Amino acid sequence: MKRTGPIVRENAKTVHEPERLDLVVRGGRVVTPEGVLDLEIGIVRGKIVRLAPSVTDATDLELEAEGRYVFPGILDAHVHFNEPGRADWEGIATGSAALAAGGGTMFFDMPLNSEPPVLDAAGLREKRALAEEKACTDFALWGGLTPGNLDKLAGLRDAGAIGLKAFMCNSGIASFPNVDAKTLREGMKRAAKLNLPVAVHAEDEAMAAALTEKIKAAGRTDARAWLDSRPVAVELEAIRTALEIAGETQCALHIVHVSSPEGIALITEARLQRVDVTAETCPHYLLLNDKDVERLGPLAKCAPPLRDEKRRKALWAELRAGHIQTVGSDHSPARPEMKDSANLFAVWGGIGGVQHGFELLLSECEKTADQDLPIFAAVLARNVARRFQIDDRKGQIGLGRDADFSLLDYGKARTIKQEDLWTRHRISAYVGEKSRVRVTHTYVRGTPIYADGRFTNLPQKGQFLAPHRPRC
Ligand SMILES: [Zn+2]
């Protein structure tokens, strides 16, 4: 197939048309969770109004996507852009730009590591105002669930929080304390009444603390020591506790960054028992393993930690089996000096992968695109929108929905370089990795924000989305 760059053609305007389209995307292979379809897309005022093998309406612009996949805008439900308060770690402008360069059209920012963290309605409104000013993609905001803010949850709901996030182990941020089982139970009871999903970082604090103390006492601080301090059992213990409480309280539970196939198995079993639970994993658990922690050191430190190769492969099998509902980046960057020590316990944990993590997953699908891309359209977009009740507007290339999409070009392998990064700090565990796919364009509500490696200067500001949940 001849590969030509997408061409935007401006047609002569005709004055007699009752309704013209603003844009038609032609010649692309549209990825839906049901399959890859040869469809053209007609867009008016940021919404998809035509979806057909051939769109014949008059249009102002055409985007030629021949030879490319049109992929639904990625909804990254798990980022830490750290603003306000720690914008020197990332910030909303650079974080959302990096997301868009990787095909993302919306992020859900976590309530930490901004300062103050989002623990009440005022905190949420402050972050919302900043993001409305600085984000180039649409966004939603998580509120926090901590021992001190149980009476603020209704306020967070009313201010439009997409859900609540709790830590079952130390978060590393003093202003965001973790919950014990009792507080989590009380919080989830209240969240259920408020129709707010609760996301948990599932690692058992007591087990992790005891193991860490033992390993540090033995004088071990290297990569293997870090991995040994948080074995799969630490994750499984917390997942069991969270599932039990979700069953009791009937609260919608979302377990973020599940790192092990054993964790997914527990969640799958609970879903069969009709517990309202979904599982998220992250690109790094599917792309990297424990050997990469030894190779990359601090750049590959995250919690839960990366697992062995056998588990990494098993996680792909769980994904393809439909047992993992969403994939989020857990983009958690820091200043470079916070990543600069041979002592893995001393450096900041978190993988900054918002730009290339998803792309590298899609790169893995080069030979199996027609089978695998629909799975990714589900876990990166549709399922996220459904779980968090924004599927009236987001999550699919479908009639009446926002025209959020990217164009994917499979071609020659290229090596990811430091200068490709749009994040504030040009550090990433993925520099040096080979990608066989390139995101050439990203459109948010029908407007191109990223095209051919550059950001357009079209006026585009991110919109805040709140769930369309019924009020209780
Ligand atoms: Zn996180």
Side-chain angles (χ1 to χ4, degrees), residues 78-80 110 112 165 167 201 256-257 330-332:
H78 193 159
V79 304
H80 301 265
M110 282 292 171
L112 72 166
K165 166 77 178 289
F167 267 74
H201 176 129
V256 296
H257 52 52
D330 195 9
H331 180 70
S332 185

Side-chain angles (χ1 to χ4, degrees), residues 57-247:
D57 308 62
T59 181
D60 288 344
L61 291 168
E62 293 182 352
L63 175 64
E64 178 56 60
E66 169 100 34
R68 302 189 187 203
Y69 288 94
V70 187
F71 194 78
I74 293 169
L75 311 177
D76 187 350
H78 193 159
V79 304
H80 301 265
F81 288 163
N82 308 331
E83 192 168 355
R86 289 192 183 86
D88 54 334
W89 292 19
E90 181 62 86
I92 294 163
T94 52
S96 64
L99 170 69
T105 55
M106 182 172 181
F107 63 87
F108 299 8
D109 194 58
M110 282 292 171
L112 72 166
N113 318 320
S114 52
E115 203 61 52
V118 176
L119 295 176
D120 57 22
L124 191 135
R125 285 193 206 100
E126 183 188 355
K127 190 183 275 188
R128 173 181 172 172
L130 274 171
E132 280 173 337
E133 202 45 50
K134 298 183 175 191
C136 67
T137 65
D138 290 343
F139 66 96
L141 299 175
W142 289 94
L145 167 57
T146 64
N149 79 327
L150 291 178
D151 294 331
K152 308 287 185 192
L153 305 183
L156 282 166
R157 193 273 313 265
D158 292 341
I162 199 79
L164 301 170
K165 166 77 178 289
F167 267 74
M168 298 176 75
C169 62
N170 189 325
S171 76
I173 297 280
S175 58
F176 201 93
N178 57 286
V179 291
D180 58 13
K182 192 167 160 261
T183 317
L184 185 60
R185 184 173 287 111
E186 182 56 30
M188 283 174 74
K189 216 187 274 174
R190 294 185 190 204
K193 281 204 190 100
L194 295 165
N195 194 12
L196 276 171
V198 169
V200 293
H201 176 129
E203 284 186 296
D204 185 80
E205 175 58 20
M207 284 173 78
L211 275 167
T212 302
E213 201 183 302
K214 206 171 128 196
I215 285 166
K216 279 184 172 171
R220 297 175 57 206
T221 59
D222 63 1
R224 189 51 60 182
W226 167 254
L227 294 165
D228 290 348
S229 73
R230 301 177 100 90
V232 170
V234 171
E235 176 174 59
L236 299 184
E237 181 65 19
I239 290 178
R240 279 191 203 99
T241 304
L243 289 173
E244 202 181 297
I245 298 174

Side-chain angles (χ1 to χ4, degrees), residues 384-401:
V384 182
R386 278 191 184 163
R387 182 52 161 165
F388 297 102
Q389 299 173 293
I390 52 169
D391 52 328
D392 54 335
R393 280 184 57 186
K394 301 293 189 189
Q396 290 192 69
I397 296 174
L399 287 176
R401 290 200 169 82

Side-chain angles (χ1 to χ4, degrees), residues 21-23 41-49 138 393-394 398 400-405 443-447 460 463:
L21 302 178
D22 295 329
L23 174 69
I41 306 168
I43 296 159
V44 172
R45 288 184 291 280
K47 297 272 184 199
I48 296 170
V49 296
D138 290 343
R393 280 184 57 186
K394 301 293 189 189
R401 290 200 169 82
D402 289 358
D404 298 338
F405 61 88
Y443 278 66
V444 176
R445 284 177 277 109
T447 301
Q460 170 73 347
Q463 276 184 8

Side-chain angles (χ1 to χ4, degrees), residues 31-34 71-78 108 254 264 278-283 286 315-316 318-329 358 361-362 365 372-388 395-396:
V31 184
T32 75
E34 289 74 37
F71 194 78
I74 293 169
L75 311 177
D76 187 350
H78 193 159
F108 299 8
H254 184 60
I264 298 297
T278 42
E280 174 201 75
T281 192
C282 309
L286 293 159
L315 215 50
W316 272 97
E318 295 288 359
L319 183 80
R320 289 192 167 113
H323 295 159
I324 296 173
Q325 286 71 43
T326 73
V327 176
S329 71
F358 303 125
L361 291 178
L362 300 176
C365 309
D372 280 346
L373 289 183
I375 296 170
F376 280 105
V379 298
L380 295 176
R382 184 200 61 190
N383 296 359
V384 182
R386 278 191 184 163
R387 182 52 161 165
F388 297 102
Q396 290 192 69

